[in-house]
Amino acid sequence: MDAEPEAWQQVVEDPRIAQEQTGGALVLRPSDPPAPGVGLVFYPGAKVEPEAYAARLSGIVTELGMTVVITDPPLNLSLFDRRDPERFASLAPEVDTWLVGGHSMGGVRACQVAEEVDALVLFAAYCATGLSHSQVPVLSIAGSEDGLSTPGDIADHRSALPENATLVEIAGANHASFGDYGPQKGDGTATIDDDEVDDAVEEAVADLLAVVTAA
């Protein structure tokens, strides 16, 4: 699923964001990055181009000052990407606190490496790997209208997460609301726009950062 050109172009033209494609990943960092910084290694959903997530994640770059490394996995399948977060962290040596996250199937990959970093963020995803006894802070962001990672699916897999994990459901968001790649077969119908999803994501991630940086 290709990235929507207009959304990607907005990121390219945003003077607040320095972007480069290097080391098998797309790196988005604040043009004037804080030091030391916080970063997110993000695994895309199955068959989705990395650029399709740039606009959705750009707010945490510009508003929260984070560096985002969006992986470019073989065949656009994150579960085939055996590179660990440290490999991608080396692309942004100015960052000393790392989160890992992913959308849909990319979230499954993020769960597998969650204990190698400082926190986990799931976007319309759930863990197949049990983390219930982990001390890693976890944020799960989902959409009420998601027809693929449904609210029921998220609830059914809640036990795989630590007891103190934070679950945020964005009212009106569907599965494809977390990227810019067009509609997906089997998905629900979103009833909110991208700006509202962006605001909700930024707020939830900001709350997680407060926990991580206070630890």
Side-chain angles (χ1 to χ4, degrees), residues 5-28:
E6 291 184 4
W8 168 235
Q9 193 62 30
Q10 288 176 1
V11 175
V12 172
E13 295 176 355
D14 192 331
R16 300 170 297 173
I17 300 174
Q19 56 88 20
E20 63 174 334
Q21 292 172 309
T22 182
L26 170 63
V27 182
L28 308 175

Side-chain angles (χ1 to χ4, degrees), residues 13 27 40 45 50 52 64 67 75 83 97 124 149 155 180 187 195 202:
E13 295 176 355
V27 182
L40 168 68
L64 304 183
T67 293
L75 304 177
R83 295 171 293 177
T97 299
S149 296
D180 290 290
D187 199 4
D195 288 342
E202 289 163 28

Side-chain angles (χ1 to χ4, degrees), residues 45-63:
K47 295 294 186 179
V48 183
E49 285 188 328
E51 293 84 356
Y53 295 99
R56 190 63 60 253
L57 298 173
S58 65
I60 67 175
V61 178
T62 59
E63 303 303 321

Side-chain angles (χ1 to χ4, degrees), residues 106-115 120 122 126-129 131 161:
V108 177
R109 175 58 181 154
C111 292
Q112 294 175 343
V113 296
E115 295 192 275
L120 168 67
L122 299 173
Y126 46 84
C127 288
T129 304
L131 294 174
L161 302 180

Side-chain angles (χ1 to χ4, degrees), residues 3 7 9 26 33-34 38 40 65 70 77 81 107-108 131 143 151 163 168 205 211-212:
Q9 193 62 30
L26 170 63
V38 179
L40 168 68
I70 307 174
L77 292 171
D81 196 339
V108 177
L131 294 174
E163 184 176 345
V168 174
V205 173
V211 173
V212 173

Side-chain angles (χ1 to χ4, degrees), residues 147-165:
L148 300 174
S149 296
T150 67
D153 292 332
I154 300 296
D156 288 344
H157 290 81
R158 173 64 180 86
S159 60
L161 302 180
E163 184 176 345
N164 62 352

